[in-house]
Amino acid sequence: MRTFEIRFDFIDHQLRILTSDGKSQIIELKPRSVPSSIGSSKTLEELNLPVTIHMMPNEIENPILFDQDEEPRSYDREYAIGFGASCCRAIGCLKNSAPVCGKCSPVHFFGAALISR
């Protein structure tokens, strides 16, 4: 069975896609439109990772389909670094909390776009 992982790197400002068979791709995190970001999903095809991206955003008012949202979007490196640091602090707090019986998962980030296989 082949698996993959997508990692946000808020130090080098990259999105890293890693596969269980050792292949990888890197997408630079930078200001761009949503469709150009979705165009990066071609990277998933290049890695032979067939996915379907649901184009309707969740949990926002007046959503615009991702592939039709041509508004330029910002990427603020300082905010990204702060977000990454917050995740690291959350990991530290959770590791120092009372023991939990059952499954323990790492800190996750779930974006509004749902990706399915």
Side-chain angles (χ1 to χ4, degrees):
M1 181 173 153
R2 191 164 177 258
T3 61
F4 70 99
E5 177 178 303
I6 299 176
R7 295 181 186 172
F8 283 96
D9 177 342
F10 295 118
I11 295 171
D12 292 327
H13 304 281
Q14 299 172 336
L15 183 75
R16 295 183 180 171
I17 305 168
L18 312 162
T19 68
S20 58
D21 59 1
K23 295 180 182 174
S24 65
Q25 290 282 352
I26 295 174
I27 300 169
E28 181 185 359
L29 298 175
K30 63 181 183 179
R32 63 174 102 199
S33 69
V34 176
S36 69
S37 295
I38 293 171
S40 299
S41 68
K42 299 231 182 289
T43 302
L44 296 171
E45 292 173 14
E46 291 168 6
L47 290 171
N48 195 26
L49 299 170
V51 299
T52 301
I53 298 176
H54 301 278
M55 292 296 165
M56 183 58 72
N58 296 304
E59 303 171 5
I60 62 170
E61 290 185 31
N62 306 313
I64 300 170
L65 292 171
F66 290 129
D67 58 346
Q68 296 175 12
D69 186 356
E70 293 292 342
E71 182 81 18
R73 301 297 174 180
S74 64
Y75 178 78
D76 188 309
R77 287 175 169 249
E78 293 304 314
Y79 280 102
I81 291 168
F83 176 75
S86 296
C87 288
C88 289
R89 283 192 295 278
I91 291 167
C93 290
L94 293 172
K95 283 185 178 180
N96 295 324
S97 64
V100 176
C101 293
K103 182 179 183 230
C104 294
S105 298
V107 174
H108 288 84
F109 171 68
F110 296 93
L114 301 177
I115 300 176
S116 63
R117 261 185 73 92

